[in-house]
Each structure stands twice: as structure tokens, then as C-alpha cells.
Amino acid sequence: MTQKLTITVLETSDIHGNIMPIQYANHKPIETGLAKIATLIRQERERGRPLLLVDNGDLIQGTPLAYHHAKLNANEPNPMIQCLNELGYDAAVVGNHEFNYGMGLLRKAVGESSFPWLSANIVNASDEQPFLGKPYIIRSFEHELKVAVLGLTTPYIPNWEKAEHIAGLRFHKAVESAQRWVRYLRKEEGADVVIVSYHGGFERHLESGEPSEPQTGENEGYALCRDVEGIDVLLTGHQHRSISRTRVCGVPVVQPGSAGAWLGKVTLTVTRQPDGSWRVTDALSELLSPEGVEPDAAVLAITEPHERKAQTWLDQPIGRLIGDMRVHDPMRVRLEEHPLIEFINKVQMELSGAKISNTALFDNISPGFPEHITMRDIVSNYIYPNTLQVIRVKGRDIKAALEQSAGYFATYNGEGDIRVSPAFSDPKPQHYNYDMWEGIEYKLNISRPVGSRVEELRFEGRPLDPEADYDVVMNNYRAAGGGNYMMFQGKPVVKDIPTDMAELLAGYIMERGTIEATLNHNWEIVWDGKPKRDKA
């Protein structure tokens, strides 16, 4: 009789500190988060099948809870790690955002974990060994079946992260590391099944194989399926996509969105072959929704004391606003200068001394500032632990950056609604990669082809000199070229301000007590046939 086993593989990814099923901006309940996903995990365990549970990275950063722990409560156990310990995770993979608060907090999280953290392609520069020890786990099931899980991380991290947070590390290409380690797992460890958990996404369309983004090496999911022999399942993340019931070059793949929106599940049928070996003969990837599911009581109990402290901190008053900085329509903010964006840019310029600044409206749920500003308002609008850098660029670099930002809009002829271009929406929304500038005057014409949309560009009343040097302040992600702003990569750093922007904004407002909403109308989005703006 043919021997068969069914193995369940569960994946979370890009939780980003989202445990509680609430919105931090307004306390409203939501149908996502790890507490709800935990209930699904326990339901899957009750089925009694052999099961592997893996987190695919970007766990410890992303919410006010995560920020409060990292900055104000780090002497306590990490609540995200406590929850994964409670749920019996087999392994976690290092994501790019694991480095955001520095190596100390990452190693603290690893030390508190009752499971190993994996990343085969991040190595110590000194000895080329994986920096957190073994980059894989082996689990044995009945009939001597051996299943391996190999961890990989996008190697693009040095293009985003502060150098001191990744000092002493090297980042190898995921495909090259996978080719080495999958072969090792098969031949040396005798693994019958090899699962690769990769904190990265797909650089090509899943069906056609055509490039879907610049081929920078940030995402290598398609190449892993195409070029690495011996992968039975590929768990992915990083792009925040919802991918299931899909194979790439024959390999089953899954990606469970972000913030606990889905639980990834792969059901493997493994069959004993005549020679005694095991082979995966069927695989189904799917996404389980936590909508309508009760949150897990144990996870809520673990998180509650941390959450209570974070909520008290969030309600701390900061200052008062005269005027309106509410965000009513995110697209309108990106089409017409908004007081919130102007304020952030002006704070960056004042604190850095630079005469030119850029920033973004990071997502479509930023609420803006009310009259009475609290810490909740700060962290609900500036959601990343970015710091500031002043870099020295040429005038032509500024123009190139404006052209990059202008590509955010689909070509518009004046009819219907203005839409986000596929380059900024597929495979995931990239609102955070559309910058708005202060200190220069510019006009972008979105009826023109992408790459030739800068219609006017002036500095201090004169045309911007393409060959002149200008000091520009921006967040550290953008200064390193993040978001495909390659014109900024490798530019001289004139000043580094290593304090998180949330702290800088809060301190700026507290010092003044009252701030005022202002607009100077230094930039404009236009299209052919649009009436000219009245400058009176």
C-alpha cells in the first residue's frame, strides 16, 4: 500500500507589530491582526495533521505598539515575540524592517524567541557565516520523513537601512544562497521536502515572466522558482500581496498580505516512492481570512499590559493647531499642496538647515492633524522610524527625482478621475514613493509622457541650474535611493540627524505649543486644458 502523509504549512508575514484588532488612529475595530490570526492557527492545529508554522519577517516594527516598545519600553519582553512563543512558531525569517531599531533590539528579540531566526544570505563579514547561526531548520515526522525550512531575506537592505544598524554584515543574492543551501539540505541533511521562506517578493509577473519592476535585486521570487532546483514550496512576503492557488515555474507559492490580513496555508501531500524516498505529489496554497473570527484570548492577555502603556503614551498631549491639517482626500493631497505636507517639509528644513526638502504622504489612511495634537496623531501620520539626512545633489538630480515622482500619476487627458499609475500600484501600492517638495517651485504636467513631465523648475526665483550643487533634506530611506530614486544613491551626506522623525515632530510642536496651518503654493500638478491657477 502506498504511504502518503499530509503536511500543513502555515505562514504569517509582514505583521508589522499589528497584534490587536484595532486602528490606532481612532480606536475603531478591524478584522485583521495577529490576535485573530492566532485563532486560525489554533484551529489548524486541532486538525491533528503534521504542521509547520513560520513567520516570514517584518514582525517587530510598524505600529505605535512596536514603536513604544522599541523606544520607551525595551526593558520589557517584546510583545510580538511573546505572542509567537505562545503560538508555538517553528521559525521566523529576518525581514528588512527587523533592522529599523538597530542590531541591539533585533538581537534582544532573537534572544527572547523560543524558536530560531533564519536568514541564509545575510552573513558576518568576518567569516561569511550566517549571522544568526543555522539558516535552516529540519523537522522529522512519522516514517522518518524530513522536512527542511530555509530562510532568505531580500539583500537590498543596505539601500534602505542606516549603516550602523547593519555594520559587520554582508547581504548576498537570495538566488545564489538558495542554490547552495537547497543542494546542501538535499544531499547532506537528507531532506525529503524543502520549503524556502523568503522575505522578498516577485520581480516578474507570475504567469508571463515579464519584468514587473526595475530588476534591482530587491525581489527574486520568480528567479528562485526558475533557477533553483529542489524547492518544493516558496513562502513569500515583503510586497504585501495576497497570492494563493498559484505556481511559478511549477513551484507552489503563497503570500499573505500584511498586518495580519491573511494566514497563508499550504497543504502538501507527500508520497513514499518505490525506492523508499519521499516526494511531494500534490500541493495547494490558500489564504485563510480572519474576518469574523474571535481574537485569541491568550494573545490578547499577553499584549494587554504593553498595549495599555502604549495607549497612555499615545494620548499624551503635544500641542495645538490653528487651521486645518486634516486629510480628507489622499489623492487631493498629492495633487494640491496640503498644510500637513508643507508643515513636515518646513520642520525638516528648519531642523536641518537645508533650503530644500521632500516628504511623502505614506499611505491612504493618514488622518492628518486635529486641533489638539497628541502622540497618536504624530505616529498615525509619520508611520516609519525614519531619520533625516541632508545630501548634496546636482540640479539635474532634483529634476530626475521630480520625474520619478511624477510617474505616480497615470497619463491624464482631463477626462474622468486622475488615477495612480501601475508603476506605483502594481504589485502593491507605493504611495510612500511619491514625494512633494518645499524650497523649490515646480509644475508637473501629467498629460505628458512619463519622464518628461517637469514643466517648470525654479529655486529662489531662478531656473534651477542642472550642474549646480544643492543641499536637500529627506528621510534616510530616500537618501539611500529607496523607492528607485537611484539619482540619490551614493551622494555626499552633509548632515545626519539620527533621531526618529516622530520624535522630531513631537519635539518641534511641544517646544512651540501652537503651530499654524500654512500654504505657499510652491508646486502644482497640471494637465493639458486645465485652467491656470489664480495666483492673486
Side-chain angles (χ1 to χ4, degrees), residues 23 107 118 124 128 159 227 237 251 384 386 495 500-501:
Q23 293 182 12
R107 291 198 180 275
L118 314 176
N124 298 316
E128 285 291 314
N159 293 283
D227 299 339
V251 179
Y384 297 117
N386 291 333
K495 180 183 283 188
D500 286 1
M501 266 301 291

Side-chain angles (χ1 to χ4, degrees), residues 58 94-100 122 153-166 171 198-201 213 216-219 237-239 385-387 389 428 430 432-433 475-486 489:
D58 280 5
V94 178
N96 53 294
H97 283 286
E98 258 66 70
F99 293 98
N100 283 175
I122 305 179
T153 306
T154 174
Y156 211 60
I157 291 171
N159 293 283
W160 308 312
E161 193 53 71
K162 289 187 282 188
E164 61 267 29
H165 288 178
I166 54 175
F171 297 80
Y198 167 53
H199 188 82
E213 63 185 32
T216 62
E218 176 181 351
N219 297 297
H238 184 57
Q239 291 176 318
N386 291 333
T387 59
Q389 287 187 326
K428 72 169 184 177
Q430 298 175 48
Y432 52 86
N433 281 333
N475 68 55
N476 63 295
Y477 170 80
R478 187 69 79 240
N484 298 317
Y485 284 79
M486 309 308 292
Q489 206 169 55

Side-chain angles (χ1 to χ4, degrees), residues 287-307:
L287 295 175
L288 307 183
S289 172
E291 185 172 354
V293 173
E294 287 296 315
D296 182 77
V299 167
L300 292 179
I302 287 169
T303 310
E304 194 277 332
H306 304 275
E307 181 73 15

Side-chain angles (χ1 to χ4, degrees), residues 202-488:
F202 295 94
E203 74 283 24
R204 296 176 179 272
H205 288 291
L206 303 185
E207 294 181 1
S208 71
E210 291 297 313
S212 57
E213 63 185 32
Q215 303 295 285
T216 62
E218 176 181 351
N219 297 297
E220 300 176 72
Y222 193 94
L224 283 168
C225 296
R226 182 191 61 197
D227 299 339
V228 182
E229 185 178 355
I231 298 176
D232 290 305
V233 178
L234 181 65
L235 312 178
T236 65
H238 184 57
Q239 291 176 318
H240 299 186
R241 298 169 69 180
S242 301
I243 299 173
S244 64
R245 299 180 182 273
T246 301
R247 290 175 180 258
V248 174
C249 301
V251 179
V253 300
V254 68
Q255 189 171 142
S258 65
W262 303 94
L263 176 65
K265 178 183 178 181
V266 183
T267 304
L268 297 176
T269 301
V270 189
T271 305
R272 177 88 80 171
Q273 303 301 297
D275 63 1
S277 64
W278 291 90
R279 184 165 65 87
V280 174
T281 52
D282 193 21
L284 173 65
S285 66
E286 53 189 319
L287 295 175
L288 307 183
S289 172
E291 185 172 354
V293 173
E294 287 296 315
D296 182 77
V299 167
L300 292 179
I302 287 169
T303 310
E304 194 277 332
H306 304 275
E307 181 73 15
R308 187 173 61 252
K309 292 179 181 179
Q311 290 290 349
T312 299
W313 170 71
L314 285 168
D315 289 329
Q316 173 187 337
I318 300 297
R320 180 172 176 266
L321 167 67
I322 298 174
D324 186 7
M325 283 193 193
R326 295 275 192 183
V327 174
H328 303 288
D329 180 348
M331 178 60 92
R332 187 58 53 192
V333 173
R334 301 181 181 106
L335 287 168
E336 297 176 359
E337 192 172 14
H338 189 276
L340 176 70
I341 301 302
E342 182 167 303
F343 172 73
I344 294 173
N345 270 323
K346 284 185 173 180
V347 171
Q348 293 184 172
M349 294 162 72
E350 188 167 328
L351 295 180
S352 69
K355 292 184 177 181
I356 304 174
S357 173
N358 65 47
T359 193
L361 185 70
F362 294 124
D363 57 31
N364 281 348
I365 60 174
S366 294
F369 289 165
E371 178 184 355
H372 298 286
I373 303 170
T374 66
M375 279 303 305
R376 186 183 307 279
D377 301 309
I378 300 292
V379 299
S380 295
N381 288 283
Y382 210 103
I383 60 177
Y384 297 117
N386 291 333
T387 59
L388 292 181
Q389 287 187 326
V390 179
I391 61 173
R392 184 157 292 158
V393 302
K394 297 290 185 183
R396 62 175 179 270
D397 297 320
I398 294 176
K399 183 178 180 181
L402 286 169
E403 292 287 3
Q404 173 71 16
S405 280
Y408 176 83
F409 302 104
T411 303
Y412 184 64
N413 62 9
E415 297 181 2
D417 295 330
I418 297 174
R419 299 188 180 279
V420 180
S421 71
F424 283 75
S425 60
D426 183 19
K428 72 169 184 177
Q430 298 175 48
H431 306 302
Y432 52 86
N433 281 333
Y434 171 72
D435 289 336
M436 292 158 279
W437 293 62
E438 194 67 37
I440 55 175
E441 302 84 45
Y442 63 94
K443 185 181 294 186
L444 306 178
N445 188 329
I446 59 175
S447 294
R448 294 181 176 181
V450 172
S452 58
R453 291 181 165 182
V454 176
E455 196 169 84
E456 292 181 10
L457 179 53
R458 303 173 73 84
F459 173 68
E460 296 183 338
R462 297 182 178 183
L464 195 77
D465 184 347
E467 299 306 318
D469 289 327
Y470 298 91
D471 291 349
V472 183
V473 60
M474 61 190 74
N475 68 55
N476 63 295
Y477 170 80
R478 187 69 79 240
N484 298 317
Y485 284 79
M486 309 308 292
M487 70 291 297
F488 295 148

